[in-house]
Amino acid sequence: MPASTFTGKLDIHKGVTVSSAEEPCPDVKEFTARLEASLRKWQDAKLRGVWFRVTVNHVQWIPILAQNGFIIHNAYGDTITMCRWIQRDEANRIPNYAHNMVGAGAVVINEKNQVLVVQERYRDRPYWKLPGGYVDPGEDIVYAAQREVLEETNVRTEFESLVTVRHSLEAVFGCSDLYFVVRLRPLTSEITKQDVEIDNAKWMDVDEFLNHPEVHDNNRLFVRKCIENKSNGIMMGRDTTFHPITQKPQALYYITKVSS
Amino acid sequence: MPASTFTGKLDIHKGVTVSSAEEPCPDVKEFTARLEASLRKWQDAKLRGVWFRVTVNHVQWIPILAQNGFIIHNAYGDTITMCRWIQRDEANRIPNYAHNMVGAGAVVINEKNQVLVVQERYRDRPYWKLPGGYVDPGEDIVYAAQREVLEETNVRTEFESLVTVRHSLEAVFGCSDLYFVVRLRPLTSEITKQDVEIDNAKWMDVDEFLNHPEVHDNNRLFVRKCIENKSNGIMMGRDTTFHPITQKPQALYYITKVSS
């Protein structure tokens, strides 16, 4: 009797995905036979990418998948995803999983020409820095900057412009690191430190910030660029629309305004 | 006799990392005892984040780690990394792993006011699009755009400016998607299609591209913004320096030039 095969779910890229939660097969010997029969079936059907989503309770699949040419593509929560390109006469066209951390920071300047700054709790020296942090999964970048300002200082803000993008290589977790600095207009002024990670928060005169010994060069540059753009009447604006192909929410950032 | 414990490697954040490759422990019962003794030791030592790097040959550790409060943080190649914040009176401050795909595309316009465009091989309709693709791990964004142009058309280029950043939510692999469009100046003009994924590549009159029925709205916008910036004498330039804290390579993008 030929071994039974996995059903999986087909996708529009001629790929197939098998989930251990939906097609459990705890016996290692049976799994091996079923995998080999499935690979033959999918090769004959001219499929391309084969994906296995394995939950932590079915990890015995993983070394067998590895022996059959699968590599780990990504994993989070309780699921590990492995993949293999099964057409041997074609190059593997599966993109790498995400490998760039993304953060957002804010330049918030009030009508007294003071910039909103914070001191982090866990640090070697008492640096004053712009509020900011990592963008959450599925979160909009500007929303993330506003959320961080609110969490760290309780100041509510609205978007004015994108000031700078920084891309650093060789950052945390072996990833690269993108940091978006946006200018936000304060809608409230009273500071209430919320976040346990923040020791101190205050409005500091912009001139003091630009000359303060305990301010990092990148932060100084972000504020300087912000002021420069404003005095030149130029900004990087933002359009929120929908992606023309996927119809998912998208934000576009580009130079939008030149007033002279 | 008390169970032996893992040694691991301490980091500057009061965290510790154990690698299954360096401290193997194939026996599940022994692993469980050693893990529990280690967690007590690390809690007493006031450590914070505990990390286990598990290779595909030691996956029997994974369900036991999950039972002990560890979650999968990330995984690629042959290694799965799980983590847990062990101080119960503190909130977990371990950032999520990367969850934004990053791509780069190029607007390459020659002296005849023609834009470099390609047709992809795997597609439903014969769209003409700007060359581009995903940024490789550890790769600079502008370098990625230049590499994609070279791979798809064999045209060599140099950086002129950043035109647009697009951030889309709910994209592939459950990630968000960032796309950086840069303007590149062509250094050569002859097109040789290299990439198997590309069916066709050519120089197309900019006006034709802007009015072509088989061009996506985003692509049209990128080229329009590019031309607008040039005629306004404004651009988003790029500085490559080193991060002031980590001393790793960084690229900064901001409005740099206003000529009138």
Side-chain angles (χ1 to χ4, degrees):
Chain A
M1 199 184 81
S4 66
T5 57
F6 289 106
T7 307
K9 276 190 189 137
L10 291 174
D11 62 46
I12 56 164
H13 306 291
K14 289 196 170 183
V16 62
T17 302
V18 175
S19 298
S20 72
E22 283 164 33
E23 297 185 66
C25 181
D27 184 80
V28 162
K29 233 178 176 167
E30 194 188 324
F31 175 75
T32 307
R34 202 185 282 189
L35 173 63
E36 286 167 359
S38 301
L39 286 171
R40 280 193 298 274
K41 174 179 78 170
W42 294 325
Q43 260 152 357
D44 291 346
K46 303 276 181 222
L47 293 191
R48 289 175 178 147
V50 175
W51 300 82
F52 275 80
R53 291 176 57 75
V54 184
T55 58
V56 288
N57 297 319
H58 305 107
V59 289
Q60 63 272 28
W61 286 16
I62 292 176
I64 302 162
L65 287 163
Q67 282 155 27
N68 280 275
F70 284 76
I71 59 161
I72 298 172
H73 185 267
N74 71 80
Y76 47 89
D78 69 348
T79 304
I80 296 139
T81 302
M82 299 184 78
C83 65
R84 186 185 142 190
W85 193 262
I86 57 168
Q87 291 304 325
R88 294 192 191 279
D89 56 344
E90 281 180 10
N92 179 348
R93 294 194 297 110
I94 298 172
N96 284 301
Y97 188 71
H99 47 76
N100 275 270
M101 303 290 287
V102 179
V107 180
V108 186
I109 297 178
N110 67 14
E111 290 181 352
K112 297 176 194 158
N113 208 32
Q114 296 168 318
V115 59
L116 187 59
V117 290
V118 298
Q119 268 180 333
E120 288 178 342
R121 186 165 163 197
Y122 306 97
R123 55 172 207 282
D124 298 328
R125 289 172 63 190
Y127 283 109
W128 287 101
K129 47 161 286 200
L130 301 171
Y134 287 112
V135 174
D136 284 339
E139 191 178 38
D140 174 73
I141 290 167
V142 170
Y143 181 89
Q146 291 175 305
R147 174 184 53 72
E148 288 286 346
V149 170
L150 194 70
E151 285 174 8
E152 296 184 355
T153 70
N154 206 34
V155 171
R156 288 194 305 113
T157 54
E158 65 181 14
F159 175 75
E160 271 192 278
S161 66
L162 172 64
V163 179
T164 313
V165 181
R166 169 181 57 67
H167 188 228
S168 308
L169 306 182
E170 302 171 49
V172 72
F173 307 139
C175 291
S176 301
D177 190 275
L178 275 161
Y179 202 66
F180 289 80
V181 180
V182 297
R183 179 169 188 147
L184 302 176
R185 184 183 296 115
L187 299 174
T188 60
S189 60
E190 199 186 333
I191 292 172
T192 317
K193 188 181 73 66
Q194 307 258 305
D195 196 310
V196 292
E197 296 177 38
I198 298 299
D199 244 7
N200 238 319
K202 68 171 179 180
W203 293 103
M204 184 187 280
D205 282 340
V206 166
D207 283 344
E208 185 185 348
F209 185 81
L210 291 177
N211 295 293
H212 202 292
E214 302 291 4
V215 168
H216 283 298
D217 285 348
N218 273 357
N219 270 236
R220 221 186 296 278
L221 178 76
F222 300 155
V223 171
R224 226 168 42 224
K225 282 293 159 191
C226 208
I227 296 165
E228 204 177 292
N229 291 351
K230 193 118 180 178
S231 80
N232 286 329
I234 309 167
M235 56 182 250
M236 285 283 284
R238 175 174 191 261
D239 260 2
T240 51
T241 60
F242 293 90
H243 192 284
I245 304 170
T246 65
Q247 298 301 322
K248 301 293 183 185
Q250 70 175 12
L252 291 163
Y253 300 87
Y254 42 73
I255 295 170
T256 44
K257 199 173 128 186
V258 193
S259 61
S260 53
Chain B
M1 199 184 82
S4 66
T5 57
F6 289 106
T7 307
K9 276 191 188 138
L10 291 174
D11 62 47
I12 56 163
H13 306 291
K14 289 196 169 182
V16 62
T17 302
V18 175
S19 298
S20 72
E22 283 165 33
E23 298 185 65
C25 180
D27 184 80
V28 162
K29 234 178 176 168
E30 193 188 324
F31 175 75
T32 308
R34 202 186 282 189
L35 173 63
E36 286 167 0
S38 301
L39 286 172
R40 281 193 298 274
K41 174 179 78 170
W42 294 324
Q43 260 152 357
D44 291 346
K46 303 275 180 224
L47 293 191
R48 289 175 178 147
V50 175
W51 300 81
F52 275 80
R53 291 176 56 77
V54 184
T55 58
V56 289
N57 297 319
H58 305 107
V59 289
Q60 64 272 28
W61 286 16
I62 292 175
I64 302 162
L65 287 163
Q67 282 155 27
N68 280 275
F70 284 77
I71 59 161
I72 298 172
H73 184 267
N74 71 80
Y76 47 89
D78 69 348
T79 304
I80 296 138
T81 302
M82 299 183 79
C83 65
R84 186 185 142 190
W85 193 262
I86 57 167
Q87 291 305 324
R88 294 192 191 280
D89 56 343
E90 282 180 9
N92 179 349
R93 294 193 297 110
I94 298 171
N96 284 301
Y97 189 71
H99 47 76
N100 274 270
M101 303 290 287
V102 179
V107 180
V108 185
I109 297 178
N110 67 14
E111 290 181 353
K112 298 176 193 158
N113 207 32
Q114 296 168 319
V115 59
L116 187 59
V117 291
V118 298
Q119 268 180 334
E120 288 179 342
R121 186 165 164 196
Y122 306 97
R123 55 172 207 282
D124 299 328
R125 289 172 62 189
Y127 283 108
W128 286 102
K129 48 160 286 198
L130 301 171
Y134 287 112
V135 173
D136 284 339
E139 191 179 38
D140 174 73
I141 290 167
V142 169
Y143 181 89
Q146 291 175 304
R147 175 184 53 71
E148 288 286 345
V149 170
L150 194 70
E151 285 174 8
E152 296 184 356
T153 69
N154 206 34
V155 171
R156 289 194 305 113
T157 54
E158 66 181 13
F159 175 75
E160 270 192 279
S161 66
L162 172 64
V163 179
T164 313
V165 181
R166 169 181 57 68
H167 188 228
S168 308
L169 306 182
E170 303 171 48
V172 72
F173 307 138
C175 291
S176 301
D177 190 275
L178 276 161
Y179 202 66
F180 289 80
V181 180
V182 297
R183 179 168 187 148
L184 302 176
R185 184 183 296 116
L187 299 174
T188 60
S189 60
E190 199 186 333
I191 292 171
T192 318
K193 189 180 72 66
Q194 307 258 306
D195 196 310
V196 291
E197 296 176 38
I198 298 298
D199 244 8
N200 238 320
K202 68 172 179 180
W203 293 102
M204 183 187 282
D205 282 340
V206 166
D207 283 344
E208 184 185 348
F209 184 80
L210 291 177
N211 295 294
H212 202 292
E214 302 290 5
V215 168
H216 283 298
D217 284 348
N218 273 357
N219 271 236
R220 221 187 297 279
L221 178 75
F222 300 155
V223 171
R224 226 168 43 224
K225 282 293 158 191
C226 207
I227 296 165
E228 205 177 291
N229 291 351
K230 192 118 179 177
S231 79
N232 286 329
I234 308 167
M235 58 181 251
M236 286 283 284
R238 175 173 191 262
D239 259 2
T240 51
T241 60
F242 293 90
H243 192 285
I245 304 169
T246 65
Q247 298 301 322
K248 302 292 183 185
Q250 70 175 12
L252 291 163
Y253 300 87
Y254 42 74
I255 296 171
T256 44
K257 199 173 127 185
V258 193
S259 62
S260 53

